[in-house]
Amino acid sequence: MKRIFPLLAIAAISFTGCKKEDHGGVKQLSLDISLNKTSTYTLNLNQYGDADDLSTIVTQAGSYVKSEISRPSGSRGFNDVYTYIPDVNIKVNETKTDKVVLKVYEPESRGHCNHDETDITINFKISN
């Protein structure tokens, strides 16, 4: 019985080691980007995450030739890049808007207590 008690104490500490309030938080970020209709916008997401994070598009842009997250080949760790190329027909002196929402996060299934998340809303103002 003396040998079992220390093991039970260690197991109890292991299961209670992550308190709800220690799980990190959700950061909200909004970027307003002015873009020419023939331009390409890229955003390196590594400034918002760390080595074991993932990224995803939560809300896809409305009108685009390209709107995707990629990881450069041969890169190590978290090095995701978001790329946006608008697909709009704009008259002279006209502007259109588009919006995409990205998420950089550490999934809870990784077994860490810290589950930080950054939600990035990009508001594009596209002109001629």
Side-chain angles (χ1 to χ4, degrees), residues 48-106:
Y48 306 109
D50 58 25
D52 59 352
D53 283 358
L54 299 174
S55 62
T56 189
I57 297 175
V58 176
T59 304
Q60 184 58 274
S63 182
Y64 58 90
V65 171
K66 183 177 193 177
S67 178
E68 67 182 24
I69 296 172
S70 61
R71 182 164 292 170
S73 61
S75 66
R76 293 184 175 179
F78 182 75
N79 233 0
D80 292 4
V81 175
Y82 172 71
T83 304
Y84 174 81
I85 301 172
D87 180 24
V88 292
N89 292 319
I90 299 177
K91 298 175 185 173
V92 176
N93 296 326
E94 182 182 18
T95 60
K96 293 199 176 183
T97 60
D98 206 351
K99 178 172 115 174
V100 65
V101 179
L102 312 174
K103 178 167 73 167
V104 176
Y105 64 102
E106 183 173 349

Side-chain angles (χ1 to χ4, degrees), residues 32-36 95-98 123-127:
D32 294 322
I33 305 298
S34 294
L35 192 64
N36 185 289
T95 60
K96 293 199 176 183
T97 60
D98 206 351
N123 300 299
F124 292 104
K125 182 178 176 183
I126 305 158
S127 62

